[in-house]
Amino acid sequence: MKLSILDQVPISSNQSTKEALEQSVKLAQAAEQLGYERYWIAEHHDMPGLACPAPEVMLSYIGAATSRIRIGSGAVLLPYYKPYKIAEVYNMLATLFPDRIDIGIGRAPGGSAEVTSALSDHFLQNVWNMPASLKDLLHFIYNDHPEDSEFAKINAAPIPDIAPVPWLLGTSKKSAMLAAEYGMAYAFGLFMSDKDAAEILDCYYQAFKNGSNRQPRTILTVTAFCAETTELAEEIALSSLVWSIQRGKGEGHSGVPSIKDVKQYKLSEPEKEALETMKKKMIIGNPDQVKNKLLDLQKQYKTDEIMIVTITYSPEDRIKSYQLIANELIKRETVI
């Protein structure tokens, strides 16, 4: 099974932002040694507890600190930017790190309404125009604008020997159909969706237009916590779960709380119910339990690859979780 990592760059309550960013580099290095297929980093803006508004900056740093693992955005938020600039940035990365760069494209705001206004004067219009923007971006990436295009005479230089691989990220049938129409690989965010993922992915496969020798490819993104015992996995997951409840109430600005703090945090009955509902969408367990659940998901959704997001208070717990999962499911020559 191909496994990958989505890093939202969480800041723990005992960390500085710099320390959180440095931990992401360590995570990417560990992922490479463990045999993970790719490492993607998310884009968020002015969201307390999340450290990365500019994946392209971190990717240059991480690319220089690794040598093999694919790296990319998960996602770069297209409505905020001109396609030409995105193509320039990721072509530059693909030139520096050949055959390693992915461009995951999304359209969520990634922040508050005020942040959206600060970043773009026409965000909603740009969301509406996203199919056209996405088409332009693909032409810039593949350097194949039609001759009658206003952009036919320009290049998103530097042009790498191997183009970055574009992925469309989404949680809906609409995004799946757009990916299929444009012959793109598609990543479905199961960890943030209540929709019927199996139906959406089936729609993608059925509608996919095979072009330029491309084949349909999918990633299923899930939340998972793994530890030596189920009890320990439940414990390390608790920080993320309670933090989600805190953020929903406008709290949690100091970052991911410690296990000690969340055990002392008073939850109302509705919040306890919400916590249990969240847990049902996650994979939490010992190595054998997590392995079986991931294999079941791969079979159920017929996906090529599973991408895992894990937020813990302790960076060591996060890396250990990924290591235990890799030990069960990834074949490789060396184990850290």
Side-chain angles (χ1 to χ4, degrees):
M1 176 190 290
K2 289 184 179 180
L3 292 178
S4 295
I5 291 175
L6 173 62
D7 184 7
Q8 296 180 318
V9 200
I11 309 169
S12 294
S13 58
N14 67 336
Q15 285 181 323
S16 67
T17 301
K18 183 175 185 293
E19 288 170 336
L21 292 167
E22 289 170 344
Q23 286 298 329
S24 287
V25 178
K26 292 181 180 179
L27 175 60
Q29 291 172 324
E32 180 170 86
Q33 294 180 43
L34 290 166
Y36 280 84
E37 182 75 11
R38 69 191 83 237
Y39 163 95
W40 283 359
I41 194 164
E43 174 182 339
H44 295 98
H45 298 279
D46 192 35
M47 293 187 70
L50 300 178
C52 184
E56 65 276 16
V57 175
M58 277 300 291
L59 291 174
S60 63
Y61 188 32
I62 288 167
T66 54
S67 60
R68 302 182 307 278
I69 192 170
R70 294 195 66 85
I71 56 176
S73 57
V76 58
L77 305 179
L78 181 57
Y80 287 133
Y81 312 110
K82 287 284 192 176
Y84 182 67
K85 181 59 178 176
I86 295 176
E88 283 186 320
V89 167
Y90 283 86
N91 274 354
M92 183 101 175
L93 288 167
T95 300
L96 289 168
F97 310 112
D99 200 20
R100 294 182 59 199
I101 301 300
D102 298 326
I103 313 179
I105 300 297
R107 61 181 174 187
S112 66
E114 292 82 4
V115 161
T116 298
S117 295
L119 282 167
S120 174
D121 293 329
H122 308 288
F123 179 78
L124 292 179
Q125 180 180 340
N126 292 341
V127 170
W128 180 263
N129 292 333
M130 185 166 165
S133 296
L134 184 58
K135 181 178 287 188
D136 281 340
L137 175 59
L138 294 174
H139 282 310
F140 282 127
I141 291 170
Y142 297 125
N143 201 26
D144 64 354
H145 270 100
E147 292 183 2
D148 59 351
S149 167
E150 62 177 312
F151 303 129
K153 295 182 180 180
I154 65 173
N155 297 317
I159 304 300
D161 292 335
I162 301 175
V165 176
W167 290 76
L168 188 61
L169 280 60
T171 57
S172 68
K173 184 178 178 180
K174 184 176 182 180
S175 60
M177 296 302 285
L178 184 61
E181 179 182 352
Y182 287 177
M184 295 179 66
Y186 181 60
F188 184 86
L190 185 65
F191 73 106
M192 55 188 296
S193 175
D194 294 320
K195 297 180 180 177
D196 188 340
E199 179 183 358
I200 290 170
L201 289 172
D202 280 343
C203 288
Y204 166 77
Y205 288 124
Q206 293 175 15
F208 191 89
K209 293 181 178 179
N210 189 16
S212 302
N213 296 318
R214 293 192 293 272
Q215 296 293 327
R217 298 170 63 191
T218 60
I219 289 175
L220 189 74
T221 306
V222 303
T223 297
F225 300 89
C226 188
E228 287 89 347
T229 66
T230 304
E231 293 74 20
L232 183 55
E234 295 271 0
E235 187 172 82
I236 67 171
L238 192 59
S239 290
S240 179
L241 287 160
V242 172
W243 189 45
S244 294
I245 290 173
Q246 290 175 332
R247 286 188 295 163
K249 299 193 297 183
E251 302 174 3
H253 289 185
S254 60
V256 184
S258 68
I259 295 173
K260 178 181 177 181
D261 287 343
V262 297
K263 285 183 175 180
Q264 296 174 351
Y265 189 80
K266 300 300 182 183
L267 294 169
S268 67
E269 287 304 316
E271 287 170 346
K272 291 178 182 178
E273 292 176 7
L275 187 147
E276 292 302 319
T277 298
M278 285 189 289
K279 285 175 65 174
K280 291 177 182 178
K281 294 179 62 177
M282 300 176 174
I283 299 172
I284 305 173
N286 62 46
D288 192 58
Q289 290 171 324
V290 173
K291 176 189 71 173
N292 290 333
K293 289 179 181 178
L294 289 174
L295 289 172
D296 287 345
L297 285 176
Q298 183 187 38
K299 182 178 180 180
Q300 179 181 357
Y301 295 110
K302 305 172 186 176
T303 188
D304 306 313
E305 184 175 334
I306 292 180
M307 181 170 280
I308 300 168
V309 56
T310 302
I311 293 178
T312 63
Y313 171 74
S314 163
E316 292 77 20
D317 285 340
R318 182 166 67 151
I319 289 179
K320 184 66 173 180
S321 177
Y322 284 118
Q323 181 181 3
L324 292 172
I325 295 171
N327 289 346
E328 293 292 325
L329 290 166
I330 298 177
K331 294 181 180 179
R332 61 195 184 284
E333 294 179 0
T334 59
V335 179
I336 66 171

